[in-house]
Amino acid sequence: MIPVQLTLEGIYSYQERQKIDFENLTEAGLFGIFGSVGSGKSSILEAISFALYGETERLNARDRRTYNMMNLKSNRSYIEFDFINSENKKYRATREFKRNSKNFEDVKTPSVTFYEWKNENWIPLDHSNAEQIVGLSYANFKRTIIIPQGQFKEFLELGAAERTNMMKEIFGLQRFDLQNNVSIINSKNRSELDQLEGQLKGFEEVNEEQISLKKESLKLEQQKFEDILKSFRETENLYSKLKSLKEDFETLHEKKAHFEKLSEQKENVDLLETKTELYDRLSRIFTPLFSEKTKLAKEIAEQILSKEQQLAIVQATEHQFEKVKSLLAALQPEYDALQQSKIQENDLSLILQMMKVSGEIKTLKERTQNGSQKVKEVEDRQKLIQQKIEELSKKSEQLKPGKLDPGLLVHVGNWFLERKKLNENLSSQTKKADTKKNEIITIHEELKLLKINPETFRDDFRIKAEGVEKQKKFLSEKRNHLEVQQKLSHFASELHDGEACPLCGALEHPNIVEYHDVTSELHEIQQQIDHLDHQKEDIQKKLSAGEKVLDRKKIFEEQLKYEEEQVIQIQIQIENHLKKFIWKEFNINDEADFEEKRQHSFTIEKQLEELSEQIGQEQKNLDKERSHLDNYNKALEKFRLDEAKKEEQIKTNDANLKILEWKNYAEKAALEVEEIFNKLSQSNHETEQNYNQLIKEEKEISPKLAGQKTIVSQLEKRISELQQEIADNTLLIEKALEEQQFEQNKVQEILAEKIDVQEAKKIIQEFRIQFETLKNSISELEQKLKDFTFDHEEFSTVESRFSSLELDVKAANDSVVKTHAEIERLEKEFKKKEDLLKLLEQLQKRAENLKIMTNLFKGAGFVQYVSSIYLRQLCDHANVRFHRMTRNQLSLRLNESNEFEIIDYLNEGRSRSVKTLSGGQAFQVSLSLALALAESVQSNAKAEKNFFFIDEGFGTQDLESVNIVFETLVNLQKENRIVGIISHVEELKEKIPVSLNIIKDEEKGSQIEIV
């Protein structure tokens, strides 16, 4: 994770909104955050953690976190944090919470929103899970990226189980936790085994012997089936013949019985045929005549009724026509005088227009008089404004010569500012170089006190160490010799004649050697060896101290060289800058004179701007007055033109008057004239409208009346025609009755039966066909059966034998089919059994392998094993820096219990607990571990850069250790590491190239500035 930007407002001591641009800080690779105690340094890390995870190190939910985090002078807290994750995607996390306006101590729950930068826009996410984006839980985030106060040693002192869980999360070791996977597979395999064994229990009786027995049984049953089938075929033939003969005799009997019934029905069918023929003949002759007679009678009744109704309509229309003619004759005189009345109406309309125009002309004359007065006033104001503009312009021209070029002032001002900045940098850099020189002089004094020659001190100490080692070797050999002599003296004192020698086994001991007591000599030699060991340890300590001093000297000399180079560089910049002063108007050594001239020029420029604004305003006023004057003149011209047009209109209207005269109405009131005009207009309109309406009605009624009379005439003609047609129809009916020799009543009685001729003929035809067919069929059967007889007893015997054999054949066939199917089933089951046995063998083999894997992965042992490998690699990476920080005196390793311990090379490489480390040493090993862990996380995430924040520890280091730690942090820049530190150690502040300085203001709260 790489921070991009952080915005704070109303959080802890940050009252006003403060914004940190991390891009400038992270580009340096190493930056710091400095400030006094309580200024709000650690609050920056707390804000980042809270923005991402909603958690902080100092407060939890039970501590009324939102209330205590909010600045007491604020009513709103806001955090906005932009960052880039390991996938190089840019995200933003925001949290905001507000104070209840009615209850000061009630702070509402924070609202949280996460965004992703896509297509140049912030797109809101549908979740706020920082762990999903960053790839770390809050606990591991504060162990690997942002390490708050009091937590720097946490990873070092974690228990084995907690550390394993942490490694598991950071490095994804859960992929090695195969216990559950193996357990699932094992359960599935065991379930399949149980199921398979249950299936095999159903195949216990399926074997090759049983299949062979079934096949032998099938052969016997097939032979039995063939024998029964032969007897069945013979009986079946005889049974078929007898059954056919029986069916023929039964059919003959049934047909004779049916024929007798049809014979009984023949008389009725013959009677139906006679009636149908008579009905059909009379219907074809009389039905059309009777229908025509009924139709004509109905139509003549309808025509008579229509004639009576139409006569009533004609009488009403004639009455209406006479009334219209009477009204028209009464209105005719008024209509004849209408033309003259309309001319008089038109003259009144023209007079009304002339009266209206006269009033308008009077109004225009008044407006023209007022407008001329307004034009004179505007012309006077124009002259006054023009005079004021000339006065202001003259004053501006007098001031212009005293104003200097603004660009010149900017360039000269920037030159003086740059020179001041360079002089300040030179003074500051010179002080830094002098400080380094004093530090080097102090180191030279230390070397003199230690009597160390920087060129030969390592050879001197090596010679001394070799001399001590030679003496120790000589004394050790002498001690060994004396110890052997002491042991031999002990053996000699224990020898007795007749007892075996423990060295050579001899029973006789003629010449026993006598030795003097060497105990005191051994004690003395041991004291000398111990003394030499102390000397060696002292030499080692002095060598270590000398190396530390020389290393410090080397660091300070390199730093001095850098600072002196910076001094030279600044001096060159100053010389080059002095050459850039090319302005003869000013003195290079008199900045006060330049400032005085610049201020004077600014004053003149301000006066000129004020004059310019006044001239501009007066010019606007002048333009405005000119615009008014033009508008007034245009309006006056328009008034004059309108007045002339209206005078001309009055003359035109007067010329168009035909009956009335203008002079008779000029003095009258317009309302009076308008009332006369309206009455006349209304009267003319009503006369014309009524006359036209009556003419229209007359024209409509006249053709209508003629049409109605024509309809009455046509109806009378049609009634006459229908009466003739009825007489003709009556003659035709009488003629047909005479020809058929029937009376009309009898004919109507026959036709009333309503016989369906087609249906009756169909019934008669079907009966005739059925009767003749049945008669012929009986003759054919009698001829066929004349030589045969049928014995019922014989048929019953054969039928019974046939049924019995049929059942025997079916039973034998079913037995064969059943046995054959059973054989097929057994063969399939046997094949299935073989497949199941093969599968059983595979599952049993898998079960054995899974048992081995279960033991291997039991209790997450494999994850712990992999975790220990990762931890050992972590130790190796950490020791690279830890050795350098401790001058190869200490080392970190992982013991058999997966616990960290320290190897102390100053004490013969013995191990001891990490809890025995001093505060400074604990910081060094924790920093080394944290850097190694961050390095591993970066490698695991395949990120180009990684970020690491430290919030403690530097106060526990001495000056030398601070330099070593600082050198380590500087080297991280080459490894694409970004490290931020929070500290109040001044030595670090001077070494770090870029940093934030936190200043706590009593009124505004904490303020952030970049140094």
Side-chain angles (χ1 to χ4, degrees):
M1 185 199 78
I2 306 297
V4 177
Q5 178 180 289
L6 175 67
T7 301
L8 300 171
E9 182 182 351
I11 296 292
Y12 289 123
S13 59
Y14 293 90
Q15 180 180 341
E16 297 180 349
R17 176 168 289 209
Q18 298 293 305
K19 188 173 183 180
I20 301 174
D21 184 359
F22 281 104
E23 291 183 343
N24 295 330
L25 300 174
T26 54
E27 283 178 3
L30 175 64
F31 67 90
I33 299 177
F34 297 96
S36 60
V37 175
S39 60
K41 301 186 297 298
S42 299
S43 298
I44 293 173
L45 303 192
E46 291 258 312
I48 293 174
S49 299
F50 189 68
L52 290 173
Y53 295 94
E55 297 286 347
T56 61
E57 184 61 24
R58 287 186 281 187
L59 299 169
N60 56 42
R62 293 190 301 275
D63 296 327
R64 299 171 64 204
R65 179 163 46 208
T66 53
Y67 171 77
N68 286 305
M69 285 183 70
M70 184 179 287
N71 186 279
L72 293 175
K73 295 182 179 179
S74 301
N75 292 319
R76 172 182 177 266
S77 295
Y78 179 73
I79 307 172
E80 180 182 284
F81 180 52
D82 298 352
F83 62 96
I84 297 171
N85 72 347
S86 59
E87 298 175 350
N88 207 29
K89 293 181 179 179
K90 190 175 179 181
Y91 291 92
R92 169 174 288 177
T94 65
R95 288 188 190 262
E96 180 181 14
F97 45 99
K98 297 179 180 179
R99 197 185 301 279
N100 188 337
S101 59
K102 297 180 180 179
N103 185 355
F104 183 82
E105 295 188 358
D106 179 21
V107 178
K108 298 179 181 178
T109 303
S111 62
V112 55
T113 307
F114 276 63
Y115 303 85
E116 183 178 358
W117 182 255
K118 284 184 178 180
N119 301 324
E120 303 300 319
N121 284 302
W122 286 110
I123 308 301
L125 301 182
D126 57 1
H127 70 88
S128 57
N129 187 348
E131 185 171 346
Q132 180 179 330
I133 297 171
V134 179
L136 292 171
S137 67
Y138 172 61
N140 290 330
F141 179 80
K142 66 182 183 177
R143 290 170 182 154
T144 57
I145 293 183
I146 293 181
I147 303 181
Q149 288 183 358
Q151 298 294 321
F152 203 61
K153 295 197 299 180
E154 183 185 3
F155 178 61
L156 183 67
E157 297 177 353
L158 277 176
E162 292 176 338
R163 192 182 298 113
T164 299
N165 290 334
M166 177 181 172
M167 300 294 286
K168 183 177 177 181
E169 178 182 332
I170 292 175
F171 297 106
L173 302 186
Q174 62 271 12
R175 65 183 186 277
F176 297 111
D177 189 0
L178 303 176
Q179 182 180 3
N180 289 335
N181 294 345
V182 172
S183 177
I184 291 169
I185 296 171
N186 194 21
S187 297
K188 183 180 178 183
N189 191 73
R190 188 164 58 251
S191 175
E192 291 177 359
L193 264 175
D194 293 341
Q195 187 177 358
L196 193 59
E197 289 172 353
Q199 289 178 342
L200 284 170
K201 286 181 180 179
F203 296 94
E204 291 177 351
E205 297 180 358
V206 178
N207 50 57
E208 292 181 342
E209 183 180 354
Q210 188 180 15
I211 294 171
S212 299
L213 290 174
K214 286 290 181 182
K215 287 182 178 178
E216 291 296 328
S217 176
L218 179 63
K219 289 179 181 178
L220 295 174
E221 289 176 357
Q222 284 177 335
Q223 183 62 43
K224 180 181 177 182
F225 171 72
E226 290 172 0
D227 294 341
I228 294 171
L229 185 62
K230 183 178 180 182
S231 299
F232 174 74
R233 297 296 184 203
E234 294 171 354
T235 305
E236 184 181 26
N237 290 332
L238 178 60
Y239 174 72
S240 297
K241 291 177 182 178
L242 291 174
K243 186 178 180 182
S244 176
L245 186 62
K246 178 187 176 187
E247 289 173 352
D248 287 343
F249 275 101
E250 289 176 347
T251 302
L252 179 61
H253 178 72
E254 289 174 356
K255 287 185 176 183
K256 283 181 176 181
H258 190 204
F259 185 74
E260 289 177 2
K261 290 181 180 179
L262 290 178
S263 298
E264 293 173 356
Q265 295 174 5
K266 188 172 183 304
E267 185 178 350
N268 294 330
V269 172
D270 292 340
L271 180 60
L272 176 64
E273 185 176 15
T274 302
K275 278 186 174 184
T276 302
E277 288 176 355
L278 179 60
Y279 178 84
D280 185 34
R281 179 164 56 87
L282 293 177
S283 176
R284 278 188 275 106
I285 294 171
F286 290 100
T287 298
L289 293 174
F290 288 156
S291 297
E292 181 66 17
K293 181 180 180 180
T294 304
K295 177 183 174 185
L296 290 171
K298 182 179 179 182
E299 185 177 356
I300 196 169
E302 290 174 352
Q303 293 294 330
I304 291 170
L305 179 63
S306 296
K307 176 186 173 184
E308 292 174 352
Q309 292 173 347
Q310 197 62 37
L311 284 172
I313 293 170
V314 168
Q315 290 176 359
T317 305
E318 285 177 342
H319 177 74
Q320 184 181 3
F321 185 66
E322 291 298 328
K323 183 179 178 182
V324 169
K325 287 175 69 177
S326 174
L327 292 172
L328 195 60
L331 192 62
Q332 188 65 43
E334 292 181 17
Y335 183 76
D336 292 341
L338 183 63
Q339 186 63 33
Q340 195 70 13
S341 182
K342 281 189 174 182
I343 293 171
Q344 189 176 353
E345 180 187 346
N346 186 58
D347 284 355
L348 284 172
S349 176
L350 291 173
I351 288 169
L352 282 172
Q353 290 179 9
M354 292 164 71
M355 295 176 88
K356 182 180 178 184
V357 171
S358 295
E360 292 174 353
I361 289 172
K362 184 178 180 182
T363 302
L364 286 172
K365 286 181 177 179
E366 292 175 356
R367 295 180 70 180
T368 302
Q369 185 178 356
N370 294 336
S372 299
Q373 183 65 30
K374 200 71 177 175
V375 166
K376 187 174 182 306
E377 293 175 2
V378 172
E379 288 175 346
D380 292 340
R381 285 202 299 271
Q382 276 187 343
K383 290 178 182 179
L384 291 174
I385 294 169
Q386 187 66 44
Q387 184 179 355
K388 190 172 181 180
I389 290 172
E390 290 174 357
E391 291 175 356
L392 292 171
S393 299
K394 184 177 180 182
K395 189 174 180 181
S396 176
E397 290 299 324
Q398 291 172 352
L399 288 172
K400 282 182 180 178
K403 179 191 170 188
L404 296 175
D405 181 22
L408 174 66
L409 293 174
V410 170
H411 289 308
V412 177
N414 289 340
W415 186 91
F416 278 112
L417 284 174
E418 183 65 20
R419 186 180 70 172
K420 182 179 179 182
K421 184 178 177 182
L422 288 171
N423 289 332
E424 289 174 353
N425 290 345
L426 179 61
S427 176
S428 174
Q429 200 63 38
T430 303
K431 287 180 181 178
K432 289 181 181 179
D434 292 340
T435 301
K436 296 302 174 188
K437 287 178 182 178
N438 293 333
E439 289 173 347
I440 293 171
I441 291 169
T442 303
I443 290 174
H444 278 296
E445 294 298 327
E446 290 181 22
L447 291 174
K448 287 180 181 179
L449 291 173
L450 294 172
K451 298 179 181 180
I452 292 175
N453 185 346
E455 303 295 331
T456 63
F457 91 99
R458 287 186 176 84
D459 291 335
D460 295 341
F461 279 110
R462 181 177 55 77
I463 292 168
K464 288 180 182 179
E466 288 175 355
V468 170
E469 192 62 37
K470 286 180 181 179
Q471 292 179 34
K472 184 178 177 182
K473 185 178 180 182
F474 171 76
L475 291 172
S476 296
E477 291 175 354
K478 187 176 180 181
R479 182 184 61 185
N480 292 338
H481 177 72
L482 290 173
E483 285 175 349
V484 171
Q485 185 176 333
Q486 186 182 39
K487 196 67 176 174
L488 289 173
S489 174
H490 173 71
F491 285 140
S493 65
E494 294 295 323
L495 289 176
H496 300 285
D497 289 334
E499 294 179 1
C501 175
L503 298 177
C504 63
L507 299 174
E508 296 181 358
H509 318 290
N511 298 312
I512 298 173
V513 180
E514 293 183 2
Y515 295 95
H516 65 277
D517 187 11
V518 294
T519 303
S520 60
E521 292 181 46
L522 282 170
H523 181 69
E524 184 180 350
I525 290 172
Q526 185 61 46
Q527 285 181 336
Q528 293 176 359
I529 290 173
D530 292 341
H531 179 67
L532 289 173
D533 285 337
H534 288 305
Q535 282 185 336
K536 183 179 179 182
E537 185 178 344
D538 186 54
I539 291 169
Q540 184 65 35
K541 288 181 179 178
K542 289 181 178 180
L543 176 62
S544 177
E547 286 179 341
K548 289 180 180 179
V549 173
L550 288 175
D551 286 343
R552 284 165 53 204
K553 178 175 176 291
K554 181 180 178 183
I555 291 170
F556 288 145
E557 286 175 345
E558 291 176 353
Q559 292 174 349
L560 175 61
K561 182 180 178 182
Y562 172 78
E563 301 296 350
E564 288 177 340
E565 288 174 353
Q566 292 296 312
V567 169
I568 295 170
Q569 189 67 32
I570 293 170
Q571 289 173 342
I572 293 171
Q573 290 176 0
I574 291 172
E575 291 176 3
N576 293 333
H577 186 67
L578 291 172
K579 294 175 182 178
K580 294 178 182 178
F581 194 88
I582 56 174
W583 303 281
K584 297 178 181 180
E585 301 93 327
F586 307 103
N587 188 344
I588 192 171
N589 296 317
D590 193 353
E591 186 178 354
D593 178 61
F594 163 73
E595 285 296 332
E596 184 180 348
K597 289 179 179 179
R598 180 163 65 173
Q599 291 300 324
H600 180 67
S601 178
F602 285 164
T603 302
I604 292 173
E605 185 175 4
K606 187 175 181 181
Q607 291 175 350
L608 287 171
E609 288 176 357
E610 291 174 353
L611 287 171
S612 177
E613 288 178 3
Q614 291 176 7
I615 292 170
Q617 184 61 43
E618 293 300 330
Q619 190 64 47
K620 287 180 182 178
N621 294 337
L622 181 61
D623 293 341
K624 187 176 179 181
E625 293 298 334
R626 285 173 178 169
S627 176
H628 288 165
L629 183 61
D630 290 342
N631 292 335
Y632 291 150
N633 286 327
K634 287 178 182 178
L636 285 173
E637 185 63 27
K638 186 175 182 301
F639 293 159
R640 295 188 184 101
L641 288 173
D642 289 346
E643 184 179 349
K645 287 179 181 178
K646 292 184 185 299
E647 291 285 358
E648 185 63 29
Q649 186 178 352
I650 289 174
K651 291 179 182 179
T652 302
N653 285 3
D654 188 34
N656 289 329
L657 292 175
K658 294 179 179 179
I659 297 175
L660 304 178
E661 294 183 2
W662 165 241
K663 63 182 180 180
N664 297 331
Y665 291 90
E667 301 300 326
K668 286 187 178 182
L671 290 174
E672 181 184 353
V673 176
E674 187 175 359
E675 185 178 355
I676 296 169
F677 169 78
N678 289 336
K679 287 181 179 179
L680 182 61
S681 176
Q682 185 177 358
S683 175
N684 291 340
H685 177 72
E686 289 175 354
T687 300
E688 185 176 17
Q689 187 178 13
N690 292 337
Y691 185 82
N692 290 335
Q693 181 64 30
L694 289 171
I695 292 295
K696 181 181 177 184
E697 288 179 3
E698 183 185 27
K699 289 179 180 179
E700 290 176 353
I701 293 172
S702 181
K704 183 179 178 182
L705 181 61
Q708 290 172 352
K709 289 180 178 180
T710 302
I711 291 171
V712 171
S713 176
Q714 289 175 349
L715 286 171
E716 290 174 346
K717 183 179 179 182
R718 178 59 182 159
I719 289 169
S720 177
E721 291 173 353
L722 287 172
Q723 289 173 344
Q724 183 60 43
E725 288 178 7
I726 289 171
D728 294 342
N729 178 261
T730 303
L731 289 174
L732 289 173
I733 291 171
E734 290 174 353
K735 184 180 179 182
L737 288 171
E738 185 180 352
E739 289 175 356
Q740 296 297 324
Q741 297 180 353
F742 276 99
E743 292 185 1
Q744 186 171 346
N745 293 338
K746 184 63 176 177
V747 171
Q748 289 176 342
E749 184 181 339
I750 292 169
L751 293 177
E753 293 182 9
K754 299 292 184 181
I755 295 173
D756 187 344
V757 176
Q758 296 299 324
E759 183 64 24
K761 286 183 178 180
K762 181 180 177 183
I763 292 170
I764 294 165
Q765 186 179 7
E766 288 177 353
F767 177 81
R768 300 291 185 204
I769 293 169
Q770 187 180 9
F771 184 82
E772 293 300 323
T773 301
L774 189 58
K775 183 179 178 181
N776 293 334
S777 177
I778 291 170
S779 299
E780 289 174 0
L781 280 172
E782 287 176 344
Q783 183 65 29
K784 179 181 177 182
L785 298 173
K786 66 180 180 178
D787 297 327
F788 292 96
T789 58
F790 178 73
D791 187 347
H792 284 283
E793 292 181 0
E794 181 186 3
F795 178 77
S796 297
T797 303
V798 172
E799 185 179 34
S800 177
R801 187 166 67 249
F802 173 77
S803 299
S804 176
L805 286 172
E806 188 177 33
L807 292 173
D808 292 343
V809 168
K810 185 177 183 304
N813 183 59
D814 290 345
S815 180
V816 169
V817 171
K818 185 176 179 182
T819 304
H820 191 271
E822 180 65 14
I823 291 170
E824 287 183 351
R825 185 188 70 79
L826 288 172
E827 288 177 342
K828 288 180 181 178
E829 293 293 315
F830 186 74
K831 178 67 172 59
K832 191 183 290 185
K833 181 179 180 180
E834 288 180 333
D835 294 340
L836 290 174
L837 287 171
K838 290 179 182 177
L839 183 58
L840 179 66
E841 184 181 357
Q842 293 176 2
L843 291 175
Q844 287 173 341
K845 188 173 182 181
R846 178 186 277 186
E848 293 174 1
N849 294 333
L850 287 171
K851 185 177 180 181
I852 296 170
M853 293 178 72
T854 300
N855 293 331
L856 178 62
F857 299 121
K858 188 175 181 181
F862 190 61
V863 176
Q864 292 175 1
Y865 169 70
V866 174
S867 176
S868 68
I869 293 174
Y870 274 79
L871 281 171
R872 293 183 196 283
Q873 291 175 350
L874 204 61
C875 279
D876 294 340
H877 290 309
N879 277 327
V880 173
R881 295 185 178 90
F882 189 43
H883 287 169
R884 186 164 64 245
M885 291 182 189
T886 61
R887 300 301 182 191
N888 298 322
Q889 294 175 6
L890 299 175
S891 178
L892 184 68
R893 78 173 183 185
L894 202 68
N895 62 21
E896 295 177 355
S897 301
N898 273 354
E899 298 287 347
F900 286 123
E901 61 183 18
I902 297 297
I903 304 301
D904 191 344
Y905 293 109
L906 293 180
N907 291 290
E908 300 180 356
R910 298 185 184 277
S911 63
R912 57 188 173 98
S913 171
V914 293
K915 295 180 181 179
T916 64
L917 292 172
S918 67
Q921 291 171 331
F923 172 76
Q924 291 173 344
V925 70
S926 298
L927 176 62
S928 300
L929 265 177
L931 292 174
L933 185 60
E935 187 176 70
S936 299
V937 169
Q938 177 187 2
S939 176
N940 190 49
K942 298 180 180 179
E944 295 180 359
K945 288 188 176 184
N946 211 317
F947 178 70
F948 185 74
F949 225 130
I950 305 169
D951 185 15
E952 65 168 271
F954 297 97
T956 63
Q957 306 293 294
D958 57 22
L959 183 60
E960 179 186 354
S961 298
V962 167
N963 288 327
I964 295 171
V965 170
F966 179 74
E967 182 183 349
T968 301
L969 296 177
V970 169
N971 289 332
L972 289 174
Q973 193 173 0
K974 302 173 183 176
E975 304 169 14
N976 262 350
R977 300 287 185 276
I978 301 168
V979 179
I981 63 173
I982 290 179
S983 180
H984 56 273
V985 177
E986 289 298 324
E987 289 81 357
L988 276 176
K989 186 175 182 181
E990 295 176 0
K991 297 176 183 294
I992 291 178
V994 62
S995 62
L996 298 178
N997 192 32
I998 313 298
I999 301 170
K1000 189 169 183 181
D1001 187 284
E1002 292 183 1
E1003 295 296 327
K1004 299 179 180 180
S1006 295
Q1007 303 288 306
I1008 299 174
E1009 62 179 18
I1010 297 179
V1011 181

